[in-house]
Amino acid sequence: MVEIELDGQKVEVAEGSMVMHAAEKAGTYIPHFCYHKKLSIAANCRMCLVDVEKAPKAMPACATPVAQGMVVHTKTDKAIKAQQSVMEFLLINHPLDCPICDQGGECQLQDLAVGYGGSSSHYEEEKRVVFQKNVGPLISMEEMSRCIHCTRCVRFGEEIAGDMELGMSNRGEHAEIETFLGETVDSELSGNMIDICPVGALTSKPFRYNARTWELSRRKSVSPHDSTGANLIVQVKNNRVMRVVPLENEAVNECWIADRDRFSYEALNSGDRLTSPMIKQDGQWLTVDWTTALEYVANGLKQIKANHGADSLGLLASPHSTVEELSLAATLMRGLGSDNIDHRLRHADFTAHTGARYLGMPIAALSTLKHALVVGSRLRKDHPLFAQRIRQATRRGAKVDVIGSDREFHGGNDWALPVRHFLNASADQWGALLANVAVAVAAEKGVQAPVTGTADAAAKAIATNLCAGTDAAILLGNAAAHHVDASALLSLANWIASHTGCKVGYLTEAANTVGAQLVKAQPQTGGQNAAQMLSGSCKAVVLLGCEPAADSAAGAAAVAALQQADMVVSLNAFKTNLDVADVLLPISPFTETSGTFVNAAGLAQSFHAVVKPLGETRPAWKVLRVLGNMLGLAGFEAESTADVLAQAVRRWIKPGQKIIVTNQDHETNIGVLSRLHADGARLLQALKLTPPQVADLAAFLRTLSAPGTSAKPSPSRSR
């Protein structure tokens, strides 16, 4: 540690830190533009000039390393005059168009100009004008004359997104930020460039000129789009979602969000929204009231149960549904006497397992891995924020190996991070490739291999790194989870982990895949799984937030099967399933309901509605609760999502076990959980990966050793 004096205060920071880091630790603000805590040091803007004793001139705080005994002043005349001179320089070419700038109210330049700008400028010549650029549908670069060349956007693309899509051409006054050869900005994290731009050069095209920042109400929420559970701030005006930006949470999403989290709000206000209950009569859709629609559904379920038995009823649920919705859905079906409920729409292997299949480590641990073996994942597209963390690990020397196919990997160009070994094979060969790694591990550890295989050079290299220690992990992606031999892949991964000390985890496909397992939204007593229900075995099917044609492995075959059912009920926020459903019930998206998601790491995060439901839309948990009451079932007395959550928690948390409650949660739900477990909460004890299953592994070995045969690849379809 190094001790320096900053404005008369003693501060201890790690050796190699900069003065800016010491100021942050001391709580002293130093004005800056180009510096960002997540990006490399550029020292472009010079706004952070400070007075360092014995230095001949003012020094940039972001690029000046600390030294023992250093004395730094940030408020002396020398420092302030240097900062004022820099501000005058930066304002030479920056147009004074704040009243029409979308960044107005959130602009660092505007804020610092108030404190450090002068009333006049020495510069009287004509200002520079930069020609507008079109870089795609999301980011507007029409006012690049405002750019101050801080290069935050350039560094973000290269260091965080992994693609250097923006760069700086020319020099001096003629320097411009632009794309290469007029290409567009296509990164799945591109919207973060808007957030980190300290001026109004980069703005949001969808949000542009729709509202001023001070008109917006800011409300916390959680992303429903993937298993990260990114924390969001949803900005609202007149009961309408206008913009979505990240809420910083270092343990989950840091200060970033994916573009689908940021820009998908446009669908919330589109004409595709379902706003009233509808019933199909003689091939025509009729708008009805809620009472009529729910009575139709309740009477239909009762009649079909009486005629064909409870086993003829089934429910398919999206794993993006909340814990509360899935819990009530499971209670509804089991109250009717059916165990036919499933959220695993894309799976091909439905082998029973204990515990919950989850990441097996905190999300932040992905950034500190030294080796990762990724099996069956389109990492960058499926989990953009996980990919970003692994990308940071590779910048610190981590090695990444991949077992997959060109469909997932696209020759390496689509991952935007260095991959050491890419074991390219069709899905039916993934088990054999992982078996090769197991054989190599067995040879290195001097133990009996559980499988037969060939320890080639790539397998040996992967095994060596996995044996290096606990900072290694085998990560099973969506395609591995959907694989026809998913249980065997997990068993092999667990065997490797047991002999190397590395971690094993599923990246998990949806916002609440882990939560769905915890509330038993899948068969428990021999009920039909998703594949069986989508084969046409059920007379009545309830679709909760899903579209089988697009969301299931069956694809078009699911449509044909559902068309044979006597009744299909679709609960969805959008006008979908029109070709298979008999009843459409409009339910609220995440912005119009409260609920809880359990992310890939087992972190339970609750959120509240940020706007009122659109039209006659109702939260799904309320629809299910009322339907349960109309059917006369027990367990449907809850008056709020907090009550439903408490009921769900009692099912999957046993005495002595705990649940994580993030500090971003709302007090109502924190209160419920704290009453159940006064010391707060950790779910990880309840979430244990399935141990190696001898029966599954033996069957898998027989498949591999059978001459002329191979496992079938997963039929999962691309979204």
Side-chain angles (χ1 to χ4, degrees):
M1 299 295 287
V2 175
E3 185 180 83
I4 72 169
E5 182 180 317
L6 183 74
D7 292 340
Q9 179 183 354
K10 300 289 186 180
V11 185
E12 274 195 356
V13 291
E15 188 175 356
S17 299
M18 303 297 163
V19 172
M20 182 70 79
H21 301 142
E24 289 178 340
K25 186 174 181 179
T28 300
Y29 178 73
I30 298 176
H32 60 272
F33 292 112
C34 68
Y35 171 77
H36 191 282
K37 62 182 179 181
K38 295 294 183 179
L39 303 177
S40 61
I41 301 296
N44 289 335
C45 70
R46 318 306 276 190
M47 190 65 205
C48 62
L49 293 174
V50 294
D51 183 7
V52 180
E53 287 190 5
K54 299 182 181 180
K57 59 181 179 180
M59 305 292 288
C62 69
T64 302
V66 295
Q68 186 65 36
M70 176 185 281
V71 180
V72 181
H73 304 283
T74 67
K75 303 289 192 298
T76 60
D77 287 343
K78 181 179 180 179
I80 292 179
K81 285 181 179 179
Q83 293 165 355
Q84 289 174 338
S85 297
V86 171
M87 177 57 68
E88 182 181 3
F89 177 76
L90 291 175
L91 291 175
I92 283 176
N93 282 309
H94 195 285
L96 300 178
D97 59 354
C98 299
I100 64 164
C101 177
D102 263 14
Q103 198 85 335
E106 298 176 329
C107 177
Q108 285 181 249
L109 184 67
Q110 189 182 63
D111 294 340
L112 293 182
V114 173
Y116 299 88
S119 58
S120 62
S121 174
H122 293 86
Y123 187 86
E124 297 178 351
E125 288 78 13
E126 185 177 345
K127 291 181 180 289
R128 180 188 69 150
V129 177
V130 180
F131 186 74
Q132 66 183 42
K133 303 171 181 66
N134 183 13
V135 294
L138 303 179
I139 299 176
S140 173
M141 295 181 70
E142 293 189 22
E143 283 87 17
M144 290 305 291
S145 298
R146 300 169 182 161
C147 179
I148 62 170
H149 303 154
C150 71
T151 68
R152 278 187 177 183
C153 55
V154 177
R155 286 176 285 147
F156 172 86
E158 185 176 10
E159 300 168 12
I160 306 300
D163 265 348
M164 192 175 176
E165 296 178 300
L166 294 177
M168 183 179 290
S169 62
N170 304 318
R171 300 182 66 184
E173 180 182 66
H174 303 290
E176 293 184 32
I177 301 292
E178 56 187 339
T179 59
F180 295 91
L181 302 175
E183 296 291 328
T184 56
V185 176
D186 300 318
S187 167
E188 67 284 351
L189 299 173
S190 65
N192 294 289
M193 295 180 182
I194 300 168
D195 292 336
I196 63 175
C197 180
V199 298
L202 303 180
T203 54
S204 170
K205 270 191 180 179
F207 174 70
R208 192 172 168 83
Y209 300 140
N210 282 332
R212 305 313 303 261
T213 58
W214 54 84
E215 299 175 323
L216 303 173
S217 300
R218 291 158 173 81
R219 297 161 187 175
K220 298 177 182 178
S221 191
V222 178
S223 167
H225 298 112
D226 59 36
S227 58
T228 307
N231 291 198
L232 312 175
I233 292 181
V234 182
Q235 301 184 346
V236 178
K237 179 183 178 183
N238 296 333
N239 201 48
R240 184 183 177 96
V241 176
M242 305 298 293
R243 187 168 65 164
V244 177
V245 296
L247 172 63
E248 186 170 351
N249 187 339
E250 195 65 26
V252 180
N253 56 296
E254 300 177 90
C255 55
W256 318 118
I257 56 174
D259 283 356
R260 59 191 177 203
D261 300 327
R262 184 184 302 273
F263 297 110
S264 63
Y265 72 89
E266 291 185 279
L268 300 172
N269 306 315
S270 72
D272 293 329
R273 285 289 304 274
L274 180 65
T275 57
S276 299
M278 302 182 79
I279 295 176
K280 185 185 288 184
Q281 294 289 337
D282 299 325
Q284 300 294 318
W285 285 104
L286 304 177
T287 300
V288 298
D289 57 63
W290 271 103
T291 301
T292 302
L294 290 176
E295 286 179 349
Y296 183 95
V297 174
N299 292 333
L301 292 175
K302 289 178 181 177
Q303 189 64 44
I304 293 171
K305 177 184 176 181
N307 294 340
H308 303 282
D311 197 50
S312 65
L313 310 178
L315 190 148
L316 296 166
S318 166
H320 294 280
S321 304
T322 66
V323 166
E324 293 82 355
E325 292 164 1
L326 291 169
S327 177
L328 288 175
T331 303
L332 178 74
M333 294 310 298
R334 293 185 177 117
L336 290 169
S338 174
D339 192 40
N340 302 338
I341 177 173
D342 210 345
H343 68 280
R344 300 165 298 175
L345 301 179
R346 295 179 179 270
H347 287 227
D349 182 356
F350 297 94
T351 305
H353 59 85
T354 58
R357 295 181 173 179
Y358 81 122
L359 186 59
M361 68 187 85
I363 292 175
L366 295 173
S367 304
T368 59
L369 290 175
K370 294 180 180 177
H371 181 68
L373 172 59
V374 184
V375 182
S377 175
R378 298 182 303 169
L379 186 63
R380 182 177 169 187
K381 303 300 181 185
D382 293 341
H383 306 92
L385 292 176
F386 290 177
Q388 183 273 135
R389 285 191 178 270
I390 295 174
R391 187 174 300 116
Q392 301 315 306
T394 63
R395 290 174 59 84
R396 290 187 279 269
K399 297 179 176 63
V400 176
D401 299 305
V402 175
I403 294 176
S405 64
D406 281 329
R407 178 180 178 276
E408 285 75 32
F409 198 66
H410 297 292
N413 297 324
D414 205 35
W415 276 37
L417 58 83
V419 173
R420 191 179 58 155
H421 294 106
F422 170 42
L423 307 186
N424 182 15
S426 58
D428 60 332
Q429 296 300 313
W430 294 353
L433 294 173
L434 195 58
N436 292 344
V437 176
V439 170
V441 169
E444 184 155 334
K445 292 294 184 178
V447 298
Q448 180 66 40
V451 295
T452 57
T454 303
D456 55 20
K460 289 179 180 178
I462 295 171
T464 300
N465 281 281
L466 290 175
C467 292
T470 56
D471 290 331
I474 301 175
L475 303 174
L476 302 173
N478 292 355
H482 302 158
H483 201 277
V484 70
D485 288 317
S487 295
L489 292 174
L490 175 60
S491 295
L492 279 170
N494 277 328
W495 186 92
I496 295 170
S498 67
H499 289 82
T500 62
C502 72
K503 301 180 178 67
V504 178
Y506 280 97
L507 297 172
T508 70
E509 63 177 320
N512 203 31
T513 298
V514 177
Q517 298 173 74
L518 296 174
V519 298
K520 312 299 184 188
Q522 60 195 52
Q524 300 295 306
T525 57
Q528 299 179 44
N529 57 49
Q532 292 169 326
M533 284 187 273
L534 289 172
S535 67
S537 60
C538 292
K539 295 295 183 180
V541 181
V542 179
L543 304 175
L544 177 57
C546 63
E547 186 179 352
D551 296 337
S552 74
V559 175
L562 290 173
Q563 287 174 336
Q564 304 304 312
D566 292 347
M567 184 175 73
V568 176
V569 182
S570 175
L571 287 79
N572 208 295
F574 298 92
K575 298 174 183 175
T576 187
N577 298 320
L578 299 177
D579 49 349
V580 299
D582 299 289
V583 186
L584 302 178
L585 302 180
I587 60 172
S588 299
F590 78 105
T591 54
E592 300 170 14
T593 186
S594 55
T596 303
F597 293 133
V598 182
N599 70 2
L603 185 69
Q605 301 184 106
S606 297
F607 55 93
H608 281 180
V610 299
V611 293
K612 296 178 181 177
L614 183 66
E616 294 297 314
T617 300
R618 296 291 182 268
W621 74 270
K622 288 187 177 182
V623 176
L624 293 168
R625 192 219 42 199
V626 174
L627 186 58
N629 291 336
M630 297 177 73
L631 290 166
L633 305 178
F636 291 89
E637 298 81 24
E639 295 295 329
S640 66
T641 52
D643 294 338
V644 181
L645 182 62
Q647 294 174 5
V649 166
R650 292 190 186 101
R651 295 192 185 108
W652 45 268
I653 297 292
K654 299 179 175 62
Q657 295 176 336
K658 305 171 185 177
I659 179 174
I660 297 174
V661 181
T662 170
N663 59 4
Q664 309 294 347
D665 285 349
H666 293 271
E667 289 296 330
T668 53
N669 287 331
I670 290 177
V672 171
L673 295 172
S674 62
R675 287 197 298 272
L676 293 169
H677 306 284
D679 58 347
R682 209 173 249 282
L683 182 59
L684 300 183
Q685 295 179 20
L687 301 177
K688 294 182 179 179
L689 286 165
T690 310
Q693 299 175 5
V694 178
D696 291 341
L697 191 55
F700 182 59
L701 290 176
R702 288 195 297 273
T703 301
L704 289 179
S705 60
T709 64
S710 61
K712 296 180 180 179
S714 169
S716 63
R717 301 168 63 248
S718 173
R719 293 188 179 183

